[in-house]
């Protein structure tokens, strides 16, 4: 490993240590809360189910009436009432049964349900050839949720099923942290936008689409500042615009040490930069720092008005905006966003457990010449349930990220032989 390269775990820990959760809280409709992060514990104000009910279509009975039931001597009872879901029956008297349907409230006096397949109906009577177990097919009040219990913990990122759980206890709204505001811009005179003619030496800006979609998929508010010319002055002006009202600035390109890499000196001039050379592949160049928030210069205001680039709103927040500069190569930008920016955004949102779930899987490939850095290899799951690698692991090969199902997390210097167990990070655990 090249001297001075920071190990992946150390770099991630240092980055997350700078992620203070957003303090502002909003109240949103439960129906619109999926993807948001809870700002407080959510307690139930009722039992679920609120009363004993039946899990099956069948008959509510008193077990004492069926103790003598047998295949050669069934017990016949009159069906005294009918109880659909959403209706309340009268108390069940000794020596009678109640027809009841899934979700129906168990009438007072009944202590078991006989499913309809185990009973024989004949007009207004029903026969039973065996006695049910105590409480059979009855869902007890509070069996799922107890009144006063915490059903969703603060810091939980709400899934669709979590919003359903909140709705099941009657909660029409939920307290959540406001979305993280993320400003993005992209450096490089070679960048062109899809739909424009591709001049000699130019490339289309795929990172703008990938990173913007990733930010939005995490429930963040995106301010897209577009392409920025490769000059120190333009980069500084873009940083000033990006810092206004945003929590995090994410850039792509210009974070290395070449003569045309202006992000590093621009951030140093507008705030503070920690330049990380991380021992990973792809994605070694990565920058983290802070940019001071202040008034926009007259030049920045004029440039924003002329270019049509949207300014961040609200106009200002106190202090500093966090900054993460990603590499310009598309695979490097994609991978480093997933490995660093994603957990950083989650932590800013108030989520504590930000580590993706890794799976042990069997390699169906050989990797005989590992790098001295920690590698993240694009791989997909075969029909046999093993992993195969994309043929070209270059950092500019964006097709590999579409073809793959995730990343093999390979330790520094570790060769892989077919049949070895490797650590696999599925994209399903890294996206959104």
């Amino acid at each position: 490993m090249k001297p001075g390269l920071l190990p992946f775990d150390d770099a991630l820990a240092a980055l997350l240590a700078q992620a203070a959760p957003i303090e502002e809280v909003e109240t949103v409709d439960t129906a619109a809360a999926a993807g948001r992060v809870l700002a407080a514990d959510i307690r139930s104000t009722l039992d679920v189910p609120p009363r004993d009910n039946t899990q099956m279509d069948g008959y509510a009975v008193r077990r004492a009436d069926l103790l003598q039931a047998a295949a050669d001597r069934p017990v016949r009872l009159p069906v005294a009432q009918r109880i659909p879901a959403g209706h309340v029956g009268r108390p069940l008297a000794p020596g009678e049964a109640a027809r009841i349907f899934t979700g129906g409230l168990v009438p007072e006096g009944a202590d078991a349900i006989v499913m309809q397949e185990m009973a024989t109906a004949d007009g207004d009577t029903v026969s039973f050839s065996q006695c049910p177990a105590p409480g059979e097919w009855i869902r007890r009040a509070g069996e799922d949720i107890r009144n006063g219990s915490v059903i969703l913990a603060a810091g939980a990122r709400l899934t669709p099923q979590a919003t359903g759980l909140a709705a099941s206890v009657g909660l029409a709204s939920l307290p959540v942290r406001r979305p993280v505001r993320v400003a993005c811009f992209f450096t490089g005179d070679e960048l062109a936008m899809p739909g424009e003619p591709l001049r000699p030496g130019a490339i289309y800006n795929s990172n703008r689409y990938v990173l913007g979609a990733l930010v939005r998929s995490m429930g963040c508010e995106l301010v897209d500042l577009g392409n920025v010319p490769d000059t120190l002055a333009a980069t500084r002006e873009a940083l000033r615009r990006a810092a206004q009202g945003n929590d995090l600035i994410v850039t792509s390109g210009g974070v290395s040490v070449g003569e045309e890499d202006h992000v590093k000196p621009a951030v140093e001039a507008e705030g503070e930069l920690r330049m990380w050379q991380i021992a990973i592949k792809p994605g070694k160049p990565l920058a983290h720092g802070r940019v001071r928030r202040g008034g926009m210069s007259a030049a920045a205001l004029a440039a924003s008005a002329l270019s049509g680039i949207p300014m961040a709103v609200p106009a200002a927040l106190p202090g500093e905006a966090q900054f993460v500069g990603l590499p310009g190569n598309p695979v490097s930008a994609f991978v480093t966003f997933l490995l660093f920016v994603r957990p950083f955004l989650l932590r800013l949102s108030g989520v504590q457990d930000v580590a993706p779930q890794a799976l042990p899987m069997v390699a169906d490939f050989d990797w005989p010449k590992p790098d001295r850095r920690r590698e993240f290899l694009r791989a997909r799951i075969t029909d046999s349930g093993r992993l195969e690698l994309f043929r070209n692991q270059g950092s500019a090969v964006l097709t590999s990220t579409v073809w793959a199902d995730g990343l093999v997390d390979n330790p520094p210097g570790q060769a892989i032989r077919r049949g070895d167990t490797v650590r696999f990070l599925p994209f399903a655990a890294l996206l959104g």
Side-chain angles (χ1 to χ4, degrees):
M1 183 187 303
K2 182 179 178 181
L5 294 185
L6 190 63
F8 170 83
D9 290 332
D10 293 349
L12 181 59
L15 180 64
L16 293 180
Q18 301 299 312
I22 301 298
E23 294 183 356
E24 295 96 317
V25 176
E26 302 174 346
T27 299
V28 299
D29 289 345
T30 299
R36 303 295 294 273
V37 177
L38 275 177
D41 289 346
I42 301 300
R43 294 182 180 273
S44 177
T45 58
L46 50 80
D47 287 333
V48 177
R51 288 182 54 180
D52 293 356
N53 66 80
T54 176
Q55 301 180 50
M56 293 285 181
D57 291 348
Y59 297 88
V61 298
R62 291 174 175 265
R63 292 185 65 254
D65 294 332
L66 303 185
L67 292 176
Q68 304 303 317
D72 59 345
R73 190 175 56 192
V75 172
R76 183 177 296 275
L77 298 176
V79 179
Q81 58 181 309
R82 187 174 184 273
I83 309 175
H87 295 263
V88 179
R90 61 174 175 77
L92 189 68
E96 64 182 23
R99 181 74 166 110
I100 195 167
F101 299 89
T102 301
L105 299 181
V106 177
E108 182 182 340
D111 55 8
I113 304 295
V114 178
M115 60 191 300
Q116 62 186 16
E117 292 85 353
M118 304 301 294
T120 302
D122 184 8
D124 293 335
T125 65
V126 61
S127 298
F128 305 95
S129 58
Q130 64 183 39
C131 183
E136 189 165 340
W137 299 120
I138 293 178
R139 273 192 295 248
R140 296 298 183 187
E143 181 178 293
D144 185 14
I145 300 170
R146 289 288 184 185
N147 188 355
S149 63
V150 174
I151 59 170
L152 296 167
R157 192 168 181 223
L158 292 166
T159 59
Q161 57 269 37
T163 63
L165 182 60
S168 76
V169 299
L171 295 174
S173 61
L174 293 169
V176 296
R177 297 186 188 271
R178 72 152 170 82
V180 179
R181 300 172 187 141
V182 183
C184 293
F185 66 84
F186 308 86
T187 65
D189 288 341
E190 75 279 12
L191 297 178
M193 290 303 298
E196 299 176 354
L198 198 62
R199 64 188 183 280
I203 58 173
Y204 287 121
N205 185 358
S206 61
N207 285 347
R208 185 176 185 181
Y209 290 80
V210 173
L211 299 182
L214 288 170
V215 168
R216 286 190 295 265
S217 74
M218 297 192 64
C220 300
E221 293 181 1
L222 173 67
V223 175
D224 183 354
L225 299 179
N227 298 348
V228 173
D230 261 339
T231 69
L232 179 60
T235 306
R236 290 186 64 177
E237 292 288 6
L239 287 171
R240 294 188 192 113
R241 287 199 301 270
Q244 302 307 307
N246 295 300
D247 305 297
L248 175 64
I249 303 167
V250 176
T251 65
S252 174
V255 293
S256 191
V257 292
E259 292 182 6
E260 296 300 319
D261 293 316
H262 300 293
V263 171
K264 180 179 185 293
V267 175
E268 289 173 333
E270 298 296 329
E272 174 192 16
L273 181 69
R274 295 178 178 182
M275 189 66 183
W276 285 338
Q277 294 290 312
I278 302 175
I280 64 170
K281 185 179 180 181
K284 181 180 71 173
L286 184 92
H288 170 254
R290 296 173 183 268
V291 176
R292 291 184 299 273
R293 295 190 181 105
M296 291 179 68
S297 68
L301 289 168
S304 179
L306 290 172
S307 67
I309 295 174
M311 289 175 56
V313 287
L317 286 174
E320 300 171 313
Q322 297 273 359
F323 168 82
V324 176
L326 302 179
N329 277 324
V331 175
S332 299
F334 174 68
V335 170
T336 50
F337 185 99
L338 297 182
L339 298 178
F340 292 97
V341 180
R342 176 186 177 275
F344 191 68
L345 287 173
L346 289 174
R347 190 63 61 83
L348 287 177
S349 300
V351 179
Q352 287 302 308
D353 185 7
V354 299
Q357 183 179 13
L359 302 177
M361 296 196 70
V362 177
D364 200 19
F365 61 87
D366 293 313
W367 190 249
K369 296 181 179 180
D371 199 271
R372 291 179 295 175
R373 294 169 286 170
R374 187 163 170 178
E375 297 173 290
F376 293 89
L377 308 171
R378 279 83 74 200
R380 73 177 178 187
I381 303 171
T382 67
D383 291 341
S384 64
R386 296 190 169 201
L387 294 176
E388 62 177 333
L389 287 187
F390 191 74
R391 65 186 183 279
N392 185 343
Q393 291 290 318
S395 61
V397 185
L398 194 56
T399 49
S400 65
T401 64
V402 176
W403 175 92
D405 295 319
L407 304 170
V408 173
D409 179 1
N410 193 45
Q414 181 165 303
I416 301 173
R417 293 183 179 181
R418 193 180 307 269
D420 287 349
T421 298
V422 297
R423 188 171 185 265
F424 184 62
L425 300 172
F427 285 150
L430 291 168
L431 297 172

